[in-house]
Amino acid sequence: MDQKFKFSPSVFGSSGTVEQSSYALKAVSKGSTSVGIVASEGVVIGTATRKTSELMEPRGMQHVAPINTMIGMAYSGLSGDFRILKKHAQRCSIQNNLSNGSAVKVKEVAHCMAILMQEYTQMASARPFGVSLLIAGCDKGVPQLYDCSANGTHSTRKAIALGRNAGICTSFLESRLTENLKIEDAIDTALLALKKGYEETEAELKEGDGDDEEEDPMPTEVIQIGIAYPEGFECMDSNTVDEFYATSTYLD
């Protein structure tokens, strides 16, 4: 009886859920861990890409990207879907500039992305996007962080984690988050949250393979960090990430 509810991604199942949306969220939960933290002077977003092979170059995959000079985006989930959504966000920014003659706001980009992602949960001829987004920027100097879920919902956040072991990272962020957090402290906190998520993932995979070897620490090459300042958004270059990771006060 339940099978007749599964023929279309836009039809509710007997349990009251849209199963294709649930599958999309599951794809996100298997993706690389991403975190976002609002600080007093900006927003920090970052990801840790799991290396699936020693021949892989993690920084060859863009997990943190600028949308325009003021706003940036990170993701967990399917990289191909992210490329499509990134282009859509960039078009949204350009169209707003042409139509209104002013810079697009962070919440407008988040709203634009959520509309598109929600539309794909209702199309019988298409599947939902298997990706969730973190969108960071500053509106009139005020730091803003939004998350857009694969099911089309979006909300503003003080801090959030997405992807594999997001629950562990979120609990850590809740225990560390304070008011008037400095950018440097936010980067430290983001790095440690990513470290916890990454190393927990590695431990789970080794346990599944029956490997009792000691878990490997998170290598620097898997880390990507972006920072939204009131003056603009920038992706930290690899040398700066390496230096910050090596000298972080919380990672010893």
Side-chain angles (χ1 to χ4, degrees):
M1 184 69 176
D2 188 55
Q3 293 296 320
K4 70 179 183 180
F5 292 100
K6 298 182 179 180
F7 68 89
S8 171
S10 61
V11 175
F12 284 99
S14 58
S15 61
T17 61
V18 180
E19 291 202 9
Q20 290 298 317
S21 294
S22 299
Y23 296 153
L25 292 171
K26 190 172 183 178
V28 172
S29 71
K30 293 183 177 181
S32 299
T33 307
S34 299
V35 299
I37 302 173
V38 176
S40 59
E41 304 155 337
V43 184
V44 175
I45 55 176
T47 66
T49 306
R50 188 175 69 83
K51 292 180 67 174
T52 56
S53 168
E54 289 301 320
L55 302 178
M56 176 183 174
E57 174 49 65
R59 284 173 175 161
M61 299 177 63
Q62 190 179 42
H63 278 258
V64 178
I67 300 306
N68 56 30
T69 58
M70 301 299 296
I71 300 172
M73 180 186 292
Y75 79 98
S76 291
L78 304 179
S79 59
D81 288 6
F82 173 67
R83 289 194 295 271
I84 299 298
L85 292 173
K86 180 183 70 173
K87 289 182 179 180
H88 184 77
Q90 291 169 338
R91 285 196 298 268
C92 175
S93 173
I94 294 171
Q95 289 170 357
N96 185 85
N97 289 341
L98 294 174
S99 300
N100 302 328
S102 60
V104 67
K105 296 180 179 179
V106 183
K107 65 179 181 180
E108 292 172 342
V109 174
H111 185 65
C112 179
M113 302 309 298
I115 288 175
L116 177 66
M117 295 168 79
Q118 197 278 332
E119 286 177 350
Y120 270 73
T121 68
Q122 294 182 301
M123 292 183 181
S125 59
R127 63 165 175 80
F129 289 100
V131 65
S132 289
L133 307 172
L134 296 178
I135 301 173
C138 294
D139 289 336
K140 297 182 178 179
V142 179
Q144 301 283 332
L145 173 65
Y146 283 82
D147 79 290
C148 292
S149 178
N151 60 12
T153 62
H154 73 294
S155 59
T156 182
R157 301 281 186 169
K158 293 181 179 179
I160 189 174
L162 303 174
R164 193 152 189 165
N165 288 312
I168 293 173
C169 297
T170 298
S171 297
F172 174 78
L173 292 173
E174 290 173 347
S175 68
R176 285 294 188 103
L177 193 64
T178 61
E179 296 293 333
N180 299 318
L181 194 67
K182 299 295 184 183
I183 283 288
E184 293 78 8
D185 293 331
I187 296 173
D188 275 343
T189 302
L191 286 172
L192 189 49
L194 291 173
K195 183 173 184 287
K196 284 183 175 294
Y198 183 91
E199 293 179 355
E200 182 67 26
T201 296
E202 292 298 303
E204 289 175 356
L205 294 173
K206 286 187 176 182
E207 183 178 351
D209 294 337
D211 190 345
D212 295 329
E213 291 184 8
E214 184 177 349
E215 64 185 45
D216 298 324
M218 181 175 69
T220 59
E221 63 263 25
V222 305
I223 306 168
Q224 296 182 35
I225 297 289
I227 306 174
Y229 296 102
E231 298 80 21
F233 180 85
E234 65 177 41
C235 294
M236 291 178 65
D237 64 75
S238 58
N239 291 332
T240 304
V241 171
D242 293 346
E243 181 179 351
F244 214 104
Y245 186 67
T247 59
S248 177
T249 57
Y250 294 130
L251 294 172
D252 296 331

